[in-house]
């Protein structure tokens, strides 16, 4: 956040875009590696949580179902929208609608 704020304030939008682009690629690469490790080693990972065979099998199935979607989550968190660079946002990441009322007036999240 500091990198983006400093460079936006200095009028260096190209540097902000490059930083966001690098962040996206780094996030995607790390997520792909972790997801692949989780998928291939889900048995030992599940065994860390419980010694019960039934719990281990449920945990393995959970990992198998959710791991492919980690990439979608990463892209949502790292880059909230296609025109996010250099623009002010009234919403936090992931589209949560956190607002407060002051004197009966609905104020956007900042």
């Amino acid at each position: 956040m500091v990198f983006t704020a400093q460079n936006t304030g200095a009028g260096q939008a190209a540097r902000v875009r490059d930083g966001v682009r690098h962040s996206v690629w780094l996030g995607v690469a790390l997520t792909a590696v972790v997801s692949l490790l989780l998928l291939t080693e889900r048995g030992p990972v599940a065994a860390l949580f419980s010694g019960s065979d039934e719990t281990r099998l449920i945990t393995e199935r959970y990992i198998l179902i959710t791991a492919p979607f980690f990439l979608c989550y990463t892209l949502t968190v790292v880059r909230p929208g296609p025109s996010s660079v250099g623009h002010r946002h009234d919403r936090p990441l992931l589209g949560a609608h956190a607002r407060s009322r002051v004197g009966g007036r609905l104020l956007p999240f900042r």
Side-chain angles (χ1 to χ4, degrees), residues 2-97:
V2 172
F3 173 83
T4 303
Q6 287 176 339
N7 286 292
T8 299
Q12 297 180 352
R15 189 161 185 220
V16 173
R17 278 191 298 276
D18 288 341
V20 170
R21 187 177 301 118
H22 284 72
S23 297
V24 169
W25 282 113
L26 180 62
V28 167
L30 289 174
T31 300
V33 169
V34 170
S35 295
L36 186 61
L37 284 172
L38 274 174
L39 286 171
T40 59
E41 301 298 323
R42 64 185 175 272
V45 171
L48 291 172
F49 295 101
S50 176
S52 165
D53 287 338
E54 184 179 354
T55 304
R56 186 182 51 76
L57 289 173
I58 291 170
T59 305
E60 284 183 35
R61 184 176 296 163
Y62 179 81
I63 291 171
L64 188 64
I65 292 169
T66 59
F69 296 100
F70 292 164
L71 181 61
C72 296
Y73 178 75
T74 298
L75 291 173
T76 303
V77 171
V78 173
R79 186 169 171 123
S83 62
S84 61
V85 177
H87 298 283
R88 187 174 142 235
H89 293 284
D90 289 335
R91 286 180 273 142
L93 298 178
L94 302 176
H97 298 287

